Amino acid sequence: MTSAEERRYAGAGHRNGGGAVKGFVHKDCSRHPSLNDSLEGEIQAFLTDEDQLHTYDDLTKVNPVTPTTVLKCLRARYRVKVFYTNAGCTLVALNPFQPIPDLYSLDVMKEYHSASQPQEFKPHIFIVAEEAYRNVQGQLEPVNQSLVVSGESGAGKTWTSRCLMKYYATVAASSSVVKSQNTVERIERRVLDSNPIMEAFGNACTLRNNNSSRFGKYIQLQLDRCQLLVGASVQTYLLEKTRVACQPAHERNFHIFYQMMKGATDEQRKEWKMPHGQRLVWLPKAEKIVEEDCFHETVEAMVHLGINKERQRQLFGILAGLLQLGNVNFSSSTDESQPCDIEEQSQDFLQRAAELLCVPAEELQTCLRVRTLKAGKQSVLKPCSQAECSMRRDCLAKVTYAHLFEWLVTFINNSICADKSTWCNFIGVLDVYGFECFQVNNLEQLCINYANEKLQQHFVAHYLRAQQEEYVSEGLQWSFVKYQDNQSCLDLIEGSPVSVFTLLNEASRLNRTSDAKTFRVRLEKELSDNVNISWDKFSEVPHFTVAHYAGKVDYQIQGMVDKNKDPVPPELIDLLQKSGNSLLHKMFTDNETENLMKKGLSKVTVVSKFKNSLESLMKILHGTTPHYTRCIKPNPDCKPLTFQKEEVVMQLEACGIVETIHISAAGFPIRIPFSSFIQRYGLIAKYSRFPFRELLYWSAGLFSFSFTSSFNLDADNSDMLHQEVEKLLRVVSQLQALDPSLCFDSEKPYSWVHCGRTKVFLTQYMLDWLEGQRKKILSWCAFSIQCCWLRYQRRRRHACRTSATLIQAAVRSWLVRRQVQRWNRAAAVIQNTWRKWRDMLTALAEAELDDAEDFVEEDVPTLNPVISQRGSVQLSTIQEPVIVRGWPMGLALASAPSITLSMTATGFQKMISLMASLNLPSKRGEYKVETNQYTQGLASIRAQPKGSVKLHFRRSPLLYADRPPDLKCDVTGFNEILLEKTL
């Protein structure tokens, strides 16, 4: 059942409300049969093809609607392992009594949440959850939602509530904001971890259910404006604390005690003074193993909620002390003036209990055996009887466990509850104890069944009665469907001035010992006129019988008044306030407890407190949109996939499923006032005349348009509102007639919708169609706005790009012009400077050279060809002495008189390189003398004609004046002149 194809309806599988069901069909025959004969014939005709009964996923399709046909459909679906069925506005859930993991997996949750129309899927608890969640998103009044899960004990209410919480923790906690992801995960985990703790301390294994809730809880899942889960709060009602000290036959205590015994380590057992094999009186049926006996899961949940190890140690120590206290027994004293004796085998258990509760053993023993009576300002100690000692022992255990449970609830709320400023709406999940009827029923069962009566009355008042009365007042043609109204039973239990609760409170406030027979006589005298109460006068045990909506229950009167008083001896409170256990001390020293004891409010009875808390719950439910889920228990033995029709029929009749189906099949579950209807769906009439293409081009005026601007929403002008609604409905009917996917009946245009006097009545399918049309038009408008915005953005980007291009072109041209001008100015400066230096060097060169006319060129002897071929050098033969001047950067040699030196080029090169630091590149036929500082721009070497040789070394004023303008040029410099002369 995890694929979408398996969940979708085939053909006309929608919930069509009144348009889908024809009611009772009367066939035309020659004779006129009676109504019973006709009905039996229709039932037989309907049940002829039983192989197709499992396909009826909505019981409003059953024709005719009778307990027999409804039962047959449910049994057929249960056999093929289909456990959810729609019954109009109610979801019927059959307990399979075995795990079905694929039915509640994470993928299934995401599939239902992402579906555009979850109602098209097969019935599931997730559809109810998603419908409530979308109501919050759509802000349909009332925005807050309540999921009411009802049914007998063992029908699966706790499991259903757990699935609902898991669904919302998965769906409503999904956030794409990275910075808040850790916060969301923490909230989700804490909300889910509150479940195992509450079930461990508040649930127990009973004859009818292995995980029966022994308290009621209403969980508010708090959502912010983005419909994300930001917190939760838990409200509890009437914990069955008597189970701690008194367990019914063949039933167990609360789960937490068995979890401790089965999951504790040897070290923990030693700390709790509970060795293996020890028998504990308050721990019956310890050998029975149930799925909920998981100590590790409870401890892990405590850690996630923030309960540290020290606080856990104190908490489990208190629980272990209560179990030890249960083994303390008393024996009657021979002297009435002396307190009762504690049995010898109980002394050790009393000592252990005192140590675990961190109170003195002597004071504990005294508080259990002696009571303090106050006479004015004086106190008198009076020994207690054996029964009173046992009662005080049980009272100590009950009040301690009740305070511990309240502390846990408060701690959980402080851990998971969000600040009021951070959340605006909530979805409530109500899980209360189911209707109970045991062999012996007392005050606890009376309160539990009273709560179920209140919930049934809420369902009757909200749906069965209120809807039919509203149909008549709004002008719909309607014939009333009879239903079972339990208001008379509620008047019997809680009515004023005389009821069971008022008489019980009156007897509890009397300062005298209660008498069961006297209280029975009082009930018979005051309530004999009520048909919902009766008595068995021949019974030896005083009791009274109440006819509830789910059946008759006998309540035992013995002990009921005492339980209603719920007295707590003050000396027990004083003892617990002195406890060395900080947790126990804190629980009994809070301001609320102190005020309770000082002001004498302990006389507030159990039924008064429970009635007040239940009224506050009903007030919350009346202010929310309810969603009903009826859990059905297929068999009393909790066997997997076992269907017993007697058991199911009784539950169907008790909760009014057949009447609900009748009203849902013929009625309109959705009711919207005119103003709200026009405000939400008026845009369908306004934009339905625009084709999609035209709507794209028309979107220019959407930025300042209000969908409700053309309608007058004044509530006083009802005629105008009625006319506008009629126009809108005509447009809707035309659109439906043009929709090929709808099987629209033109002869009955209002089969799915009806216009009343002040409200529009819709079927669920009609509401889904309107929401689909509204979403389609809004999508078109949003698409048009996006197109206009994108076009505007593109034009703006194009204009900006064009402007930027023009600016960049102007800037680049200006930069180029400025650079070229700088280059021109630099070239001019370089040219002028070069010309100046060239002219100056030319002038210097001319000044250095003597006039050619003054020089007498001497005959230079011709070199020997052999010597010339070998590269030898012949020096000058001038007679005058030759002046040789040398500079550090170069050296020139002049020939001395009558000195002739001939040597090879290689030897000459070595000599010159060594002595004169000159470079002579050796290449055959070419010899060129350059200074080492040639690359540094050496000055010219010039020789005077008269025999003297002057070496001039000057650096050019230009940095690169000695560089050739062309790399391929052989010129070595612009200012260097080499004289090649053979002397």
Side-chain angles (χ1 to χ4, degrees), residues 744-765:
F744 184 71
D745 190 357
S746 59
E747 297 180 357
K748 297 180 179 181
Y750 295 130
S751 59
W752 293 341
V753 59
H754 181 84
C755 182
R757 292 189 176 94
T758 61
K759 295 181 181 180
V760 179
F761 294 83
L762 308 169
T763 61
Q764 181 64 44
Y765 180 66

Side-chain angles (χ1 to χ4, degrees), residues 65 184 224 243 276 290 487 559 572 582 610 692 707 930 966:
V65 179
V184 170
D224 61 5
R243 184 171 290 269
H276 291 279
V290 295
Q487 186 60 47
L572 293 180
S582 61
F610 182 66
F692 179 67
F707 291 132
E930 295 178 353
D966 190 359

